[in-house]
Amino acid sequence: ILNVEQSPQSLHVQEGDSTNFTCSFPSSNFYALHWYRWETAKSPEALFVMTLNGDEKKKGRISATLNTKEGYSYLYIKGSQPEDSATYLCAVVLNDYKLSFGAGTTVTVRA
Amino acid sequence: GAVVSQHPSRVICKSGTSVKIECRSLDFQATTMFWYRQFPKKSLMLMATSNEGSKATYEQGVEKDKFLINHASLTLSTLTVTSAHPEDSSFYICSARLASREQYFGPGTRLTVT
Protein backbone atom coordinates (compact mmCIF):
# COMPACT_ATOMS: atom_id res chain seq x y z
CA ILE A 1 0.00 0.00 0.00
CA LEU A 2 1.39 3.38 -1.09
CA ASN A 3 1.42 6.65 0.80
CA VAL A 4 -0.93 8.85 -1.21
CA GLU A 5 -1.39 12.39 0.06
CA GLN A 6 -4.12 14.82 -0.90
CA SER A 7 -4.14 18.50 -0.05
CA PRO A 8 -5.86 20.47 1.13
CA GLN A 9 -8.14 18.25 3.21
CA SER A 10 -11.01 20.65 2.53
CA LEU A 11 -11.67 23.88 0.77
CA HIS A 12 -14.46 26.35 0.30
CA VAL A 13 -14.90 28.16 -2.99
CA GLN A 14 -17.32 30.80 -4.12
CA GLU A 15 -19.68 29.89 -6.92
CA GLY A 16 -18.13 30.88 -10.22
CA ASP A 17 -14.56 30.76 -8.95
CA SER A 18 -12.04 28.20 -10.09
CA THR A 19 -10.03 25.97 -7.81
CA ASN A 20 -7.50 23.17 -7.83
CA PHE A 21 -6.02 20.65 -5.44
CA THR A 22 -3.27 18.10 -5.34
CA CYS A 23 -2.62 14.41 -5.10
CA SER A 24 0.97 13.34 -4.46
CA PHE A 25 2.38 9.83 -4.51
CA PRO A 26 5.69 7.96 -4.69
CA SER A 27 6.91 8.25 -8.27
CA SER A 28 8.62 4.88 -8.43
CA ASN A 29 6.73 1.88 -9.85
CA PHE A 30 3.82 4.06 -10.96
CA TYR A 31 1.15 2.29 -12.96
CA ALA A 32 -1.95 4.49 -13.09
CA LEU A 33 -3.90 7.10 -11.14
CA HIS A 34 -7.65 7.41 -10.72
CA TRP A 35 -9.70 10.42 -9.69
CA TYR A 36 -13.13 9.82 -8.14
CA ARG A 37 -15.89 12.21 -7.18
CA TRP A 38 -17.82 11.16 -4.06
CA GLU A 39 -21.04 12.76 -2.96
CA THR A 40 -22.50 11.98 0.45
CA ALA A 41 -24.64 8.82 0.52
CA LYS A 42 -23.70 7.94 -3.04
CA SER A 43 -21.10 5.72 -4.67
CA PRO A 44 -17.75 7.19 -5.67
CA GLU A 45 -17.98 8.09 -9.33
CA ALA A 46 -14.98 7.61 -11.61
CA LEU A 47 -13.77 10.84 -13.20
CA PHE A 48 -10.44 10.04 -14.83
CA VAL A 49 -7.89 7.32 -15.28
CA MET A 50 -4.42 8.62 -16.04
CA THR A 51 -1.36 6.63 -16.94
CA LEU A 52 1.21 8.64 -18.87
CA ASN A 53 3.46 11.43 -17.67
CA GLY A 54 2.03 14.68 -18.97
CA ASP A 55 -1.48 13.26 -19.37
CA GLU A 56 -4.25 15.83 -19.31
CA LYS A 57 -7.88 14.77 -19.09
CA LYS A 58 -11.02 16.90 -19.20
CA LYS A 59 -14.67 16.28 -18.42
CA GLY A 60 -16.82 19.37 -18.68
CA ARG A 61 -15.46 21.96 -16.25
CA ILE A 62 -13.22 19.47 -14.47
CA SER A 63 -9.75 18.61 -15.70
CA ALA A 64 -6.69 16.82 -14.37
CA THR A 65 -2.98 16.67 -15.08
CA LEU A 66 -0.40 14.07 -14.20
CA ASN A 67 3.33 14.29 -13.49
CA THR A 68 4.68 10.82 -12.83
CA LYS A 69 8.32 11.93 -12.61
CA GLU A 70 7.71 14.16 -9.61
CA GLY A 71 4.74 12.19 -8.30
CA TYR A 72 1.74 14.49 -8.37
CA SER A 73 -1.58 15.12 -10.07
CA TYR A 74 -3.72 18.24 -10.02
CA LEU A 75 -7.49 18.36 -10.32
CA TYR A 76 -8.96 21.63 -11.55
CA ILE A 77 -12.55 22.83 -11.33
CA LYS A 78 -13.32 25.79 -13.54
CA GLY A 79 -16.24 28.09 -12.68
CA SER A 80 -17.33 26.07 -9.62
CA GLN A 81 -21.02 25.33 -9.22
CA PRO A 82 -22.89 24.11 -6.12
CA GLU A 83 -23.24 20.66 -7.73
CA ASP A 84 -19.45 20.37 -7.70
CA SER A 85 -19.57 20.09 -3.91
CA ALA A 86 -18.22 16.64 -3.11
CA THR A 87 -15.17 14.82 -1.86
CA TYR A 88 -12.61 14.18 -4.57
CA LEU A 89 -10.51 11.07 -4.10
CA CYS A 90 -7.38 10.10 -5.89
CA ALA A 91 -6.12 6.53 -5.96
CA VAL A 92 -2.86 5.18 -7.25
CA VAL A 93 -2.87 1.80 -8.92
CA LEU A 94 -0.26 -0.71 -7.92
CA ASN A 95 0.99 -3.23 -10.43
CA ASP A 96 -1.44 -5.80 -9.03
CA TYR A 97 -4.36 -3.45 -9.75
CA LYS A 98 -5.01 -2.71 -6.11
CA LEU A 99 -5.89 0.89 -5.33
CA SER A 100 -4.16 3.01 -2.70
CA PHE A 101 -6.33 5.97 -1.83
CA GLY A 102 -5.63 9.42 -0.51
CA ALA A 103 -7.90 10.77 2.22
CA GLY A 104 -9.68 13.07 -0.21
CA THR A 105 -10.27 16.78 -0.67
CA THR A 106 -13.75 17.94 0.32
CA VAL A 107 -14.92 20.83 -1.83
CA THR A 108 -17.79 23.05 -0.72
CA VAL A 109 -19.07 25.54 -3.25
CA ARG A 110 -20.86 28.51 -1.72
CA ALA A 111 -23.66 30.09 -3.71
CA GLY B 1 -24.24 0.72 -16.55
CA ALA B 2 -21.75 -0.64 -14.00
CA VAL B 3 -23.92 -0.16 -10.94
CA VAL B 4 -22.94 -1.68 -7.61
CA SER B 5 -25.33 -1.84 -4.69
CA GLN B 6 -24.60 -2.42 -1.04
CA HIS B 7 -26.97 -3.50 1.69
CA PRO B 8 -27.60 -2.38 4.33
CA SER B 9 -26.58 1.24 4.06
CA ARG B 10 -26.55 1.61 7.81
CA VAL B 11 -26.60 -0.92 10.63
CA ILE B 12 -26.40 -0.73 14.40
CA CYS B 13 -25.63 -3.91 16.29
CA LYS B 14 -24.76 -4.97 19.80
CA SER B 15 -21.29 -5.98 20.79
CA GLY B 16 -20.71 -9.70 20.27
CA THR B 17 -23.17 -10.13 17.42
CA SER B 18 -22.32 -10.69 13.76
CA VAL B 19 -23.28 -8.48 10.86
CA LYS B 20 -23.44 -9.37 7.18
CA ILE B 21 -22.98 -6.77 4.44
CA GLU B 22 -23.89 -7.56 0.85
CA CYS B 23 -22.26 -6.17 -2.27
CA ARG B 24 -23.96 -6.78 -5.62
CA SER B 25 -23.01 -5.87 -9.16
CA LEU B 26 -26.39 -5.15 -10.74
CA ASP B 27 -25.67 -5.08 -14.45
CA PHE B 28 -22.39 -6.87 -14.91
CA GLN B 29 -20.53 -9.90 -13.67
CA ALA B 30 -17.50 -9.41 -11.48
CA THR B 31 -15.02 -12.16 -10.81
CA THR B 32 -13.22 -9.83 -8.44
CA MET B 33 -14.65 -7.56 -5.77
CA PHE B 34 -12.81 -5.55 -3.16
CA TRP B 35 -13.72 -4.59 0.40
CA TYR B 36 -12.49 -1.34 1.92
CA ARG B 37 -12.80 0.25 5.31
CA GLN B 38 -12.70 3.95 6.15
CA PHE B 39 -12.20 5.60 9.51
CA PRO B 40 -13.23 9.25 9.97
CA LYS B 41 -11.07 11.65 7.97
CA LYS B 42 -8.89 8.79 6.79
CA SER B 43 -8.46 7.20 3.41
CA LEU B 44 -10.21 4.10 2.13
CA MET B 45 -8.08 1.15 3.18
CA LEU B 46 -8.20 -2.09 1.26
CA MET B 47 -9.17 -4.97 3.53
CA ALA B 48 -9.40 -7.88 1.14
CA THR B 49 -9.83 -9.04 -2.43
CA SER B 50 -12.83 -11.26 -2.98
CA ASN B 51 -12.52 -13.79 -5.80
CA GLU B 52 -15.52 -15.68 -7.13
CA GLY B 53 -15.24 -19.35 -6.39
CA SER B 54 -12.09 -19.12 -4.30
CA LYS B 55 -10.85 -17.85 -0.97
CA ALA B 56 -10.48 -14.15 -0.38
CA THR B 57 -7.05 -12.59 -0.14
CA TYR B 58 -6.63 -10.43 2.95
CA GLU B 59 -4.33 -7.45 3.37
CA GLN B 60 -1.74 -7.47 6.08
CA GLY B 61 -3.24 -6.83 9.50
CA VAL B 62 -6.80 -7.81 8.55
CA GLU B 63 -8.08 -10.82 10.49
CA LYS B 64 -9.68 -13.30 8.12
CA ASP B 65 -11.59 -14.99 10.94
CA LYS B 66 -12.98 -11.65 12.00
CA PHE B 67 -14.00 -10.47 8.55
CA LEU B 68 -15.46 -13.40 6.65
CA ILE B 69 -15.79 -12.90 2.92
CA ASN B 70 -17.86 -15.08 0.62
CA HIS B 71 -18.04 -14.57 -3.15
CA ALA B 72 -20.47 -17.29 -4.12
CA SER B 73 -21.60 -15.87 -7.44
CA LEU B 74 -20.38 -13.49 -10.12
CA THR B 75 -22.69 -10.76 -8.84
CA LEU B 76 -22.56 -11.11 -5.05
CA SER B 77 -19.90 -10.83 -2.40
CA THR B 78 -20.65 -10.70 1.31
CA LEU B 79 -18.61 -9.43 4.22
CA THR B 80 -19.51 -10.75 7.67
CA VAL B 81 -18.11 -8.97 10.68
CA THR B 82 -18.08 -11.68 13.33
CA SER B 83 -18.39 -11.02 17.05
CA ALA B 84 -18.42 -7.31 16.41
CA HIS B 85 -16.91 -4.91 18.93
CA PRO B 86 -17.10 -1.12 19.15
CA GLU B 87 -13.68 -0.79 17.49
CA ASP B 88 -15.19 -2.44 14.39
CA SER B 89 -17.48 0.55 13.99
CA SER B 90 -16.53 2.05 10.67
CA PHE B 91 -17.61 2.72 7.11
CA TYR B 92 -17.30 -0.33 4.85
CA ILE B 93 -17.42 -0.01 1.08
CA CYS B 94 -17.09 -2.53 -1.70
CA SER B 95 -16.10 -2.30 -5.33
CA ALA B 96 -16.51 -4.64 -8.27
CA ARG B 97 -13.96 -4.84 -11.03
CA LEU B 98 -14.72 -5.09 -14.70
CA ALA B 99 -12.56 -7.02 -17.12
CA SER B 100 -11.16 -3.63 -18.15
CA ARG B 101 -9.77 -3.34 -14.59
CA GLU B 102 -11.99 -0.35 -13.81
CA GLN B 103 -13.50 -0.57 -10.32
CA TYR B 104 -17.06 0.51 -9.57
CA PHE B 105 -18.03 1.22 -6.01
CA GLY B 106 -21.08 0.64 -3.89
CA PRO B 107 -22.45 3.45 -1.71
CA GLY B 108 -21.03 1.97 1.48
CA THR B 109 -22.33 0.68 4.80
CA ARG B 110 -22.04 2.56 8.09
CA LEU B 111 -21.60 0.03 10.91
CA THR B 112 -22.05 1.10 14.51
CA VAL B 113 -21.40 -1.43 17.25
CA THR B 114 -22.79 -0.50 20.65
Side-chain angles (χ1 to χ4, degrees), chain B residues 4-67:
Chain B
V4 176
S5 70
Q6 227 174 297
H7 179 80
S9 59
R10 189 180 294 266
V11 58
I12 301 172
C13 71
K14 292 190 176 181
S15 188
T17 61
S18 296
V19 173
K20 181 186 283 188
I21 303 169
E22 292 187 349
C23 177
R24 292 182 185 272
S25 55
L26 297 185
D27 49 2
F28 66 100
Q29 294 182 330
T31 56
T32 303
M33 292 184 175
F34 299 92
W35 287 97
Y36 297 83
R37 180 175 182 175
Q38 185 186 36
F39 291 106
K41 298 190 184 301
K42 301 292 185 183
S43 57
L44 295 176
M45 293 296 296
L46 181 64
M47 298 174 66
T49 303
S50 171
N51 301 297
E52 188 268 336
S54 65
K55 290 184 179 180
T57 307
Y58 290 82
E59 295 301 304
Q60 191 173 9
V62 178
E63 298 176 60
K64 62 179 181 181
D65 296 329
K66 173 76 170 173
F67 299 100

Side-chain angles (χ1 to χ4, degrees), chain A:
Chain A
I1 301 297
L2 298 178
N3 183 27
V4 179
E5 303 276 347
Q6 287 189 250
S7 65
Q9 186 176 65
S10 64
L11 64 90
H12 291 77
V13 59
Q14 197 68 32
E15 182 177 358
D17 288 350
S18 297
T19 189
N20 65 83
F21 38 93
T22 309
C23 173
S24 59
F25 52 89
S27 56
S28 59
N29 298 318
F30 175 85
Y31 190 81
L33 182 144
H34 291 245
W35 279 103
Y36 291 90
R37 179 174 177 278
W38 195 6
E39 290 183 70
T40 303
K42 295 185 178 180
S43 302
E45 171 198 356
L47 287 174
F48 306 114
V49 180
M50 310 179 80
T51 56
L52 299 176
N53 184 46
D55 256 357
E56 291 188 27
K57 295 280 179 88
K58 188 176 180 183
K59 186 176 183 178
R61 293 178 292 97
I62 301 177
S63 60
T65 60
L66 177 66
N67 183 321
T68 61
K69 294 185 187 302
E70 297 181 39
Y72 64 84
S73 175
Y74 288 126
L75 192 87
Y76 300 88
I77 304 176
K78 184 178 178 181
S80 302
Q81 298 297 309
E83 59 264 30
D84 296 327
S85 296
T87 295
Y88 292 82
L89 301 176
C90 87
V92 175
V93 182
L94 305 177
N95 56 8
D96 56 0
Y97 294 98
K98 294 180 182 178
L99 298 178
S100 285
F101 280 88
T105 294
T106 299
V107 174
T108 304
V109 181
R110 297 178 290 213

Side-chain angles (χ1 to χ4, degrees), chain B residues 45-94:
Chain B
M45 293 296 296
L46 181 64
M47 298 174 66
T49 303
S50 171
N51 301 297
E52 188 268 336
S54 65
K55 290 184 179 180
T57 307
Y58 290 82
E59 295 301 304
Q60 191 173 9
V62 178
E63 298 176 60
K64 62 179 181 181
D65 296 329
K66 173 76 170 173
F67 299 100
L68 299 179
I69 291 173
N70 185 279
H71 194 155
S73 78
L74 287 171
T75 59
L76 174 64
S77 175
T78 60
L79 169 69
T80 301
V81 183
T82 62
S83 187
H85 290 283
E87 57 265 29
D88 298 322
S89 298
S90 190
F91 186 79
Y92 295 87
I93 189 168
C94 71

